[in-house]
Amino acid sequence: MRQDPAPLTRRLRVRDVRGHTVLQFRGEIDLAAADEIAPLLDRATARPGARVVLDLSGIAFLDASGLRLLTRARNRVLDGGGELHLVCSHALTLRVLRITGLARLLPPRATLDEVVGGPGPS
């Protein structure tokens, strides 16, 4: 398994796992975080045929700005003929995803392993 150096911000880590670009979110995804995350998210979702995983397992809070980021990423990846997966097991975040209908558009998986197969890196 090859891992490229990861751009690292306080709220986002980007890495390659088994041919997928994994964006691992951390902390709170609110308006301030969205400004920091958007350029990295746009870079990861711009490539035609991109295989992207949005890993929300490390977040504690997600507001409307975060939901807009997820929707934007989904649209960009699908427009480019790629695939986008969501990893989330936090009960409150899952509830927000269900209430807003985003869970239907981006069905959440419980672990990164479910998306990329096999044990993922720690």
Side-chain angles (χ1 to χ4, degrees):
M1 167 178 49
R2 180 177 172 250
Q3 286 194 13
D4 295 331
L8 182 61
T9 72
R10 200 173 73 174
R11 296 182 176 104
L12 181 66
R13 177 181 178 201
V14 181
R15 64 187 197 271
D16 182 70
V17 178
R18 295 185 186 91
H20 292 79
T21 301
V22 177
L23 290 89
Q24 183 179 18
F25 296 82
R26 299 176 182 165
E28 297 183 354
I29 307 303
D30 55 14
L31 185 58
D35 288 341
E36 177 185 324
I37 292 168
L40 294 169
L41 185 65
D42 286 349
R43 189 176 327 139
T45 58
R47 191 178 78 252
R51 297 170 66 195
V52 178
V53 179
L54 305 176
D55 185 349
L56 305 183
S57 60
I59 68 163
F61 175 78
L62 179 73
D63 75 0
S65 301
L67 294 171
R68 278 192 299 276
L69 282 176
L70 300 180
T71 303
R72 177 182 171 95
R74 177 188 178 271
N75 293 340
R76 289 171 56 90
V77 170
L78 294 181
D79 287 348
E83 61 183 63
L84 183 72
H85 302 279
L86 183 66
V87 173
C88 180
S89 60
H90 188 269
L92 184 56
T93 305
L94 287 169
R95 183 172 182 234
V96 169
L97 294 171
R98 280 192 296 273
I99 289 170
T100 61
L102 198 52
R104 285 191 312 270
L105 299 175
L106 278 172
R109 308 278 180 87
T111 67
L112 181 60
D113 292 349
E114 288 182 42
V115 177
V116 300
S122 57

